[in-house]
Amino acid sequence: MRKIRAFLSRIINILTFTDLPIRKKFILFSAGTLFWIVVISAIGFITLSRLSAESRTLVDVIEPQQNILQSVIRELAESDITLHQVLLLENTDMIREKLLKAKLGIEESRSRLMLLRTGGVIQGYPQSGNLFSKEISGIPSNVVVLEVSLKDVLTKTTRLENLLSEIIPAKERGTASPVILREQIAEYDTLTQNIIETLNKSSAGLRREESSISHGIKEGFHTALVLIVCTFLVGAFLSVMFGFLISRNLVQPVNAIVANFRSFTEKHDAVKEIMVPSKDEIGILAAEYNKFIHMIQAITSFKKIIEEDETVEDVYSRLGNFLSGDLAFKNLTIYEISTYKNTIKPVYPPDPVVSDLSCDTEVLLNCDLCRVKRTGHIISSKKHQDICKFFRKKEGSVHICIPIFISGKVGGVVQFVLSGEEASSAELKEKINKTLQYISEAQPVLESKRIMRAFKESSIKDSLTGLYNRRFLEETFESLVSGVLRRNSTLGLLMCDLDFFKEVNDQYGHDVGDAVLRETANVIRKIVRDSDLVVRFGGEEFLVLLLDIQPEATFDIGNKIRASLEKTKIHVAGGIISKTISIGVSEFPLDTQSIWEAIKFADVALYKAKEYGRNRVVRFTSAMWTEERY
């Protein structure tokens, strides 16, 4: 049963031109309508041609022949009457007139009979009491005269003329023998009657032929009328049926699309795909609609996910994973622009190797060199290979850089590096458009999360040095300590304090003092690992937390910091200065089971370093603490 339905469905699809473009559908539908109009017209034309031919046969053939035969019959009958009248006359002039009239009548009859064979103009014979002329063509005797042999009739007519030629002179001279005259007249009568009978039979045959033709005309008219009506009904039925099927194939999917759009815009309901089996413009529209719905759903899902992500880095990672995964961009880098620091930082893929990046290091240190950042436009080397002089050229590769706008300014860049085959792909334009849509959806989320990150950093980071502050330390100590204890590792603590820092502020001013603090923070950051924490603990005090360090290795790290700062030259308005630092060292949980007590121990060791002459590192010992507890 299913196969039969599928077969019938295929037949209907073929008959209703389902897979053809809409224009071709209507062209073929119009051609079908035109076909039935042509059929009806052809039937009418053929019928009219046939009826016209039959009518011409009646008017131009049958009627002239009938008139000729009737005229000849009348002439012959009048000639025979005239000849008998001559026998009763005695006046020579009257006799000559009558005989001449009879002779003219026979000659006229003979000439008209000849027209039936040769054609010509017939004129002067009466029809319904009127005289007229008519031109006819020569007609074959077997068609026109039917059962009559014109040759025999003409021979007998010639004999009548000869008899008149014999009778007229004898009668005029009065020398005709009564016996011979009676015999000649008797022969004349016999020939005349014979010709008239023959012509009457011919006339009857013509009437039968006329009747047959008339009947054929009538039958042809009725047949044509029936054919025209039937053809019209069939054509109208098929036109209505195919028009309904075609319009249904067009209207149903369009209504479904309208209903889905209305449901989506008015009720915000989830929309479903529209299944349209046709390959015409409606099918293409439905496919594009389904693609659009998938894209909207994907974008909506993507936006919902990134809105629920915790950090900006999560959003960058989510965007990068989508672009590299779903859109199959193999070589993809996302950069974040910091206008405050005037730098560009790669944020995707995570932990990128600088040597693998496609941009020169100069751009990373000075974001104003980035063409996308300066112009806010999409930059592509597809048409202009040297459009960006800071792009590390890879032979045969094409780079496309797309801006990410944050608060109306370029706050990031998405960079694709494509092979020649990828750059010439027909799908590239569609993939770039999708990328723009996803970047557009990610922009407000990135903006809000970057603002949140800035607020958070402002609350847990020192604005001058960029280091964490004591609030951050208080918020993270619990998880920090539990992690160290869980891993059974060591946390090294370095309490650092600049030597004679007050003299810098007094001698050079607070701006130079701020520069010294920033440089000190940079020196410490360069020495420790990325996983270690550096906290600005007080005015010129810094606390360094060394995670999972080897026992007793904390002292060596502190000594490296001290030595590095001692060698550092700090450029100020008045010249170059250098500073030293004193550092106290303790380790948790080797020295104490309390993290705050470990900080206090490091602070005690720091004061010992100050007492011992500054610019040195001192390891805490139990001898330095005489109190029973912190």
Side-chain angles (χ1 to χ4, degrees), residues 15 29 32-33 36 40 229-245:
L15 293 177
F29 179 77
T33 304
W36 292 109
I40 293 173
V229 171
C230 292
T231 304
F232 173 79
L233 292 176
V234 171
F237 171 75
L238 293 176
S239 296
V240 171
M241 183 183 72
F242 285 120
F244 171 76
L245 293 175

Side-chain angles (χ1 to χ4, degrees), residues 158-202:
T158 303
R159 175 59 182 158
L160 289 178
E161 289 180 329
N162 293 332
L163 287 174
L164 284 177
S165 298
E166 295 176 1
I167 294 172
I168 290 173
K171 183 64 176 174
E172 287 178 346
R173 292 190 300 268
T175 59
S177 171
V179 177
I180 295 173
L181 187 59
R182 289 193 192 94
E183 290 176 358
Q184 289 176 336
I185 290 175
E187 183 181 358
Y188 188 92
D189 288 340
T190 301
L191 287 173
T192 300
Q193 291 299 321
N194 187 265
I195 291 172
I196 289 174
E197 289 177 2
T198 301
L199 294 178
N200 281 329
K201 290 180 180 179
S202 298

Side-chain angles (χ1 to χ4, degrees), residues 25 29 43 49 123-124 194 197 313 319 326 353 395 457 524 547 586:
K25 280 184 172 126
F29 179 77
I43 293 173
S49 298
Q123 58 184 356
N194 187 265
E197 289 177 2
E313 289 73 19
L319 178 62
D326 292 4
V353 179
E395 189 173 351
E457 288 181 352
I524 296 174
L547 299 174
S586 69

Side-chain angles (χ1 to χ4, degrees), residues 56-70:
R56 283 198 303 270
T57 301
L58 286 176
V59 175
D60 296 338
V61 179
I62 301 298
E63 184 180 351
Q65 291 178 13
Q66 192 71 271
N67 290 333
I68 289 172
L69 292 178
Q70 293 300 321

Side-chain angles (χ1 to χ4, degrees), residues 221-236:
F221 176 79
H222 288 302
T223 302
L225 184 61
V226 171
L227 286 175
I228 290 173
V229 171
C230 292
T231 304
F232 173 79
L233 292 176
V234 171

Side-chain angles (χ1 to χ4, degrees), residues 332-541:
L332 161 69
T333 307
I334 300 177
Y335 298 90
E336 183 180 65
I337 295 176
S338 174
T339 53
Y340 174 72
K341 298 179 181 179
N342 199 39
T343 58
I344 295 180
K345 179 179 69 174
V347 291
Y348 182 90
D351 302 323
V353 179
V354 176
S355 60
D356 293 338
L357 299 176
S358 300
C359 291
D360 287 342
T361 308
E362 289 182 75
V363 180
L364 302 182
L365 299 177
N366 184 2
C367 65
D368 290 331
L369 298 177
C370 176
R371 193 182 186 94
V372 178
K373 195 264 180 184
R374 292 199 319 271
T375 64
H377 299 156
I378 297 175
I379 303 301
S380 173
S381 64
K382 188 174 181 180
K383 293 184 179 179
H384 307 283
Q385 293 183 354
D386 298 326
I387 193 168
C388 181
K389 62 182 179 180
F390 296 102
F391 175 71
R392 293 175 181 172
K393 295 181 180 178
K394 300 177 182 179
E395 189 173 351
S397 66
V398 172
H399 74 278
I400 300 174
C401 296
I402 302 174
I404 301 175
F405 288 95
I406 305 295
S407 299
K409 299 179 180 180
V410 179
V413 177
V414 178
Q415 182 187 69
F416 306 110
V417 180
L418 310 173
S419 64
E421 182 180 354
E422 290 174 320
S424 59
S425 171
E427 300 175 351
L428 179 61
K429 185 176 180 181
E430 181 179 354
K431 290 166 68 174
I432 293 297
N433 288 335
K434 284 186 177 180
T435 299
L436 292 173
Q437 290 169 344
Y438 278 87
I439 289 176
S440 176
E441 294 299 327
Q443 283 173 171
V445 180
L446 287 170
E447 181 175 352
S448 64
K449 292 195 180 296
R450 284 181 65 165
I451 292 173
M452 291 174 61
R453 182 179 66 181
F455 282 141
K456 184 176 181 180
E457 288 181 352
S458 66
S459 65
I460 63 174
K461 282 192 174 182
D462 175 54
S463 60
L464 177 63
T465 61
L467 301 178
Y468 291 111
N469 56 23
R470 293 188 66 163
R471 179 178 177 180
F472 170 78
L473 193 64
E474 293 168 357
E475 290 179 357
T476 58
F477 252 9
E478 184 176 345
S479 60
L480 188 68
V481 170
S482 61
V484 171
L485 296 176
R486 185 173 62 253
R487 294 189 298 272
N488 194 26
S489 61
T490 301
L491 173 67
L493 295 94
L494 301 173
M495 185 65 76
C496 312
D497 186 81
L498 287 168
D499 298 330
F500 303 111
F501 179 72
K502 185 175 182 299
E503 295 178 358
V504 174
N505 285 333
D506 293 341
Q507 184 176 353
Y508 297 100
H510 288 281
D511 290 342
V512 174
D514 291 344
V516 170
L517 290 173
R518 283 195 294 269
E519 191 60 35
T520 302
N522 292 334
V523 169
I524 296 174
R525 270 195 296 248
K526 290 177 182 178
I527 298 298
V528 301
R529 301 163 298 177
D530 290 339
S531 59
D532 297 330
L533 300 176
V534 182
V535 179
R536 187 181 179 190
F537 203 68
E540 64 269 24
E541 280 188 315

